[in-house]
Amino acid sequence: MVTGYHATLKTRDDKPFVAELNSKIVFSPDGEPQYIEGIFRDVTTRLEAEEKVRVSELFYRSLFENTGAATVLFDNDGLIERCNSKFEELAGLPREQIVGKLRWTDFVDKDELQRMWNYHQQRLRAGSTPPKDYDFTFLSHDGSKRFVHVTVDRVEELESRTASLVDITNRKQVEEELATLNARLETIVEERTQALATKAVELEKANARLMELDEIKSSLVSSVSHELRTPLTALLGFAKLINKNFLKYFSPLAASDPELRNRAEVMLSNFVVIDREGRRLVRLLNDLLDLSRIESGEIRWHDEPTAISQILQDAVDAAIGEFYENSDVELLVDAPEDSLIVNVDKDKLQQVLLNLLNNAAKYTRRGEVALTASRRGPWIEVRVKDTGVGIPENQLSEIFEIFHTHRRNDTLSGNPGTGLGLAICRQIVEHYGGTIEVFSTPGQGSEFVFTLLAMEDD
Ligand code: ADP
């Protein structure tokens, strides 16, 4: 007898098909073989269906194994029916020791067992909707714990559940570290903000106090200068008168006596000192008054359109005396055409130029002092350049400050300044929106450059 024998046959119209053959020998009553009885059945469709199932099974098995998630199938009692290699890895056990032997609850940390059990019960009850996704602590066979994210679903026909678990321990750790860092950062920001706010309040207080002190200083400077100037002018006047009378009436009397003559000469040279220092004090007081008036906005500005060439010429006329004293220094002027007009207070501008020219004369032994003005875009640049002693680099940024007189001993004319001239220059130039700068090479000379806005002739 032959059963289940497969053979590929052909139909009458030449189409192949798979036939399953069952055949047996039929015997006569006396035991002689009579004939062979056979049944052919066309099993092509059945075989095709079986092949499809096999391929599909392969496909789903491969999916199950390679989803990347640890996956298990378990029954209503929680008994694990199937698991993939990822789950073996997570559990720390081979599947032979898991499938059919352990329940999923064996892999849940005991602190979370109740919660997970509740979900399981809910899944068994119709109508309730337990969460499908949640995190829990997975307990490996060796007792180590991992944080996992699980997705549970029901397979209706099989009365089974599938659970896919993704190990999120590292992510959780990073999240926790991030949260700690964030919290720390927030504390730091909070502390810094607090500190800044306190500092801001302190600064505001200090600023208010400084402004108060500045006001006190300005009014003090202004009233003291004013109060000192009047008696000082009187003192200077009387000193001059005494000097004159001494020369006229007393000097001749002393001419015959060498002792008296000597004393008279000393007294006359003392008068020179009184006069020089007195005049210096008057200059200082005038400069102080000017500065405090400009700073406090008390000063009046009589602005009018004026040719810059005119301002330059007036300044040269006023300063020329200083240059007569030293024939080794030449004063050169390169005035621009008359069409360059500025809207300024002539006297104030004169003051700027005189300060710069007098300084140039004071600090230049030989060579030249050049005064020039030229147009540069909307600005007029005025330059006072000398071939004098120059200014050390570390003092360049300070000389515009009040009372900066580092180089007082360098003055060549022996006429010490007040240390306020350049501060006044800067105040005046900045009042007109310009800037003043200095360039210098010690031993070669200095150049002061200031700018003024040109008036457009439209
Ligand atoms: P001062 O009355 O002392 O001249 P200024 O404010 O006019 O005061 O100048 C400040 C300082 O700048 C001077 O003491 C001097 O050291 C320096 N200075 C100004 N102009 C010149 C210059 N042309 N050459 C060298 N040094 C200068």
Side-chain angles (χ1 to χ4, degrees):
M1 184 153 95
V2 177
T3 53
Y5 177 78
H6 286 186
T8 305
L9 305 179
K10 274 184 191 164
T11 57
R12 225 174 263 146
D13 48 358
D14 234 16
K15 273 197 195 132
F17 71 98
V18 181
E20 190 180 77
L21 171 66
N22 292 308
S23 63
K24 64 177 184 197
I25 302 172
V26 178
F27 294 93
S28 64
D30 52 5
E32 279 299 307
Q34 298 278 293
Y35 57 89
I36 295 173
E37 185 186 85
I39 299 168
F40 290 92
R41 193 183 303 139
D42 181 353
V43 290
T44 317
T45 321
R46 200 190 83 207
L47 284 182
E48 274 172 10
E50 274 173 13
E51 178 61 11
K52 268 191 194 150
V53 169
R54 197 182 65 83
V55 170
S56 159
E57 163 75 15
L58 264 180
F59 173 71
Y60 284 108
R61 185 178 294 281
S62 143
L63 259 188
F64 184 73
E65 280 301 328
N66 302 305
T67 53
T71 311
V72 286
L73 224 79
F74 57 90
D75 68 13
N76 281 344
D77 291 333
L79 193 68
I80 294 173
E81 298 170 322
R82 208 186 261 200
C83 74
N84 66 3
S85 53
K86 266 266 189 237
F87 190 83
E88 288 179 297
E89 238 172 72
L90 193 65
L93 277 177
R95 70 185 74 185
E96 305 82 69
Q97 293 181 36
I98 300 173
V99 173
K101 295 192 173 112
L102 295 175
R103 294 188 151 67
W104 62 261
T105 43
D106 295 326
F107 298 102
V108 178
D109 185 46
K110 69 176 187 327
D111 292 344
E112 301 202 63
L113 215 49
Q114 190 57 49
R115 175 169 69 102
M116 306 284 289
W117 189 249
N118 288 348
Y119 292 159
H120 184 67
Q121 292 303 321
Q122 283 176 31
R123 271 194 294 274
L124 293 178
R125 273 201 304 275
S128 67
T129 48
K132 275 188 162 186
D133 293 276
Y134 46 90
D135 296 346
F136 76 98
T137 312
F138 186 93
L139 197 62
S140 300
H141 178 65
D142 64 3
S144 62
K145 293 178 182 177
R146 314 287 300 169
F147 288 108
V148 294
H149 178 79
V150 66
T151 311
V152 183
D153 209 357
R154 203 177 152 171
V155 190
E156 292 295 345
E157 287 81 359
L158 298 181
E159 288 270 326
S160 297
R161 312 276 179 282
T162 56
S164 312
L165 298 89
V166 179
D167 189 344
I168 54 165
T169 313
N170 294 344
R171 199 183 83 194
K172 201 106 180 163
Q173 262 167 10
V174 172
E175 273 173 12
E176 267 163 24
E177 275 165 24
L178 216 68
T180 320
L181 280 179
N182 257 340
R184 246 189 33 219
L185 212 68
E186 266 168 34
T187 324
I188 293 174
V189 168
E190 180 110 344
E191 280 169 11
R192 294 278 195 283
T193 316
Q194 194 68 39
L196 273 179
T198 319
K199 276 273 171 304
V201 172
E202 281 171 13
L203 276 177
E204 230 162 78
K205 271 192 201 154
N207 196 26
R209 178 79 189 125
L210 277 179
M211 279 168 59
E212 211 175 283
L213 285 175
D214 199 50
E215 250 172 51
I216 295 173
K217 177 216 77 182
S218 292
S219 69
L220 197 76
V221 165
S222 147
S223 60
V224 168
S225 312
H226 211 82
E227 290 302 318
L228 285 179
R229 207 168 49 162
T230 320
L232 189 61
T233 317
L235 286 178
L236 267 178
F238 281 121
K240 222 177 200 143
L241 200 63
I242 292 170
N243 187 19
K244 204 170 132 197
N245 284 332
F246 185 81
L247 258 178
K248 195 168 170 188
Y249 301 111
F250 292 89
S251 284
L253 296 180
S256 51
D257 184 331
E259 167 78 24
L260 281 182
R261 209 175 50 226
N262 251 350
R263 285 186 183 255
E265 269 164 20
V266 171
M267 282 173 81
L268 281 173
S269 70
N270 287 351
F271 277 129
V272 172
V273 176
I274 292 174
D275 183 59
R276 191 184 65 214
E277 291 304 308
R279 277 191 292 125
R280 196 169 77 81
L281 263 180
V282 172
R283 276 204 313 277
L284 175 68
L285 294 176
N286 284 342
D287 281 356
L288 272 175
L289 267 175
D290 276 353
L291 253 185
S292 74
R293 281 197 196 127
I294 297 175
E295 271 180 8
S296 63
E298 251 173 59
I299 205 160
R300 289 242 171 86
W301 301 85
H302 305 283
D303 294 352
E304 54 180 328
T306 315
I308 192 81
S309 53
Q310 182 62 51
I311 295 175
L312 259 53
Q313 198 48 58
D314 290 351
V316 168
D317 292 345
I320 200 81
E322 295 281 332
F323 289 86
Y324 285 149
E325 285 172 19
N326 182 357
S327 59
D328 289 337
V329 181
E330 202 181 346
L331 175 60
L332 306 170
V333 194
D334 184 8
E337 69 270 36
D338 292 342
S339 60
L340 280 190
I341 309 285
V342 281
N343 191 31
V344 291
D345 181 324
K346 259 195 298 193
D347 292 341
K348 303 286 186 307
L349 247 267
Q350 181 91 324
Q351 203 174 346
V352 173
L353 281 171
L354 267 182
N355 266 328
L356 296 180
L357 287 173
N358 284 339
N359 277 349
K362 251 191 317 191
Y363 298 103
T364 308
R365 199 183 293 276
R366 65 179 63 84
E368 58 185 42
V369 172
L371 173 62
T372 56
S374 58
R375 174 98 189 221
R376 193 168 225 213
W379 299 96
I380 292 173
E381 261 179 11
V382 183
R383 295 168 180 270
V384 178
K385 187 172 181 182
D386 65 50
T387 54
V389 293
I391 303 162
E393 200 180 336
N394 62 353
Q395 289 181 23
L396 285 179
S397 59
E398 294 169 12
I399 56 168
F400 294 98
E401 305 296 331
I402 292 172
F403 290 131
H404 179 90
T405 53
H406 278 200
R407 302 183 59 79
R408 182 172 283 184
N409 296 335
D410 287 349
T411 53
L412 307 171
S413 63
N415 186 8
T418 60
L420 294 174
L422 288 178
I424 293 176
C425 290
R426 185 169 68 176
Q427 291 277 11
I428 294 173
V429 170
E430 287 181 357
H431 169 80
Y432 288 113
T435 53
I436 182 161
E437 286 177 289
V438 60
F439 305 94
S440 180
T441 311
Q444 290 187 22
S446 316
E447 182 175 29
F448 286 82
V449 186
F450 70 86
T451 56
L452 292 170
L453 208 53
M455 264 186 100
E456 300 302 338
D457 43 29
D458 51 8

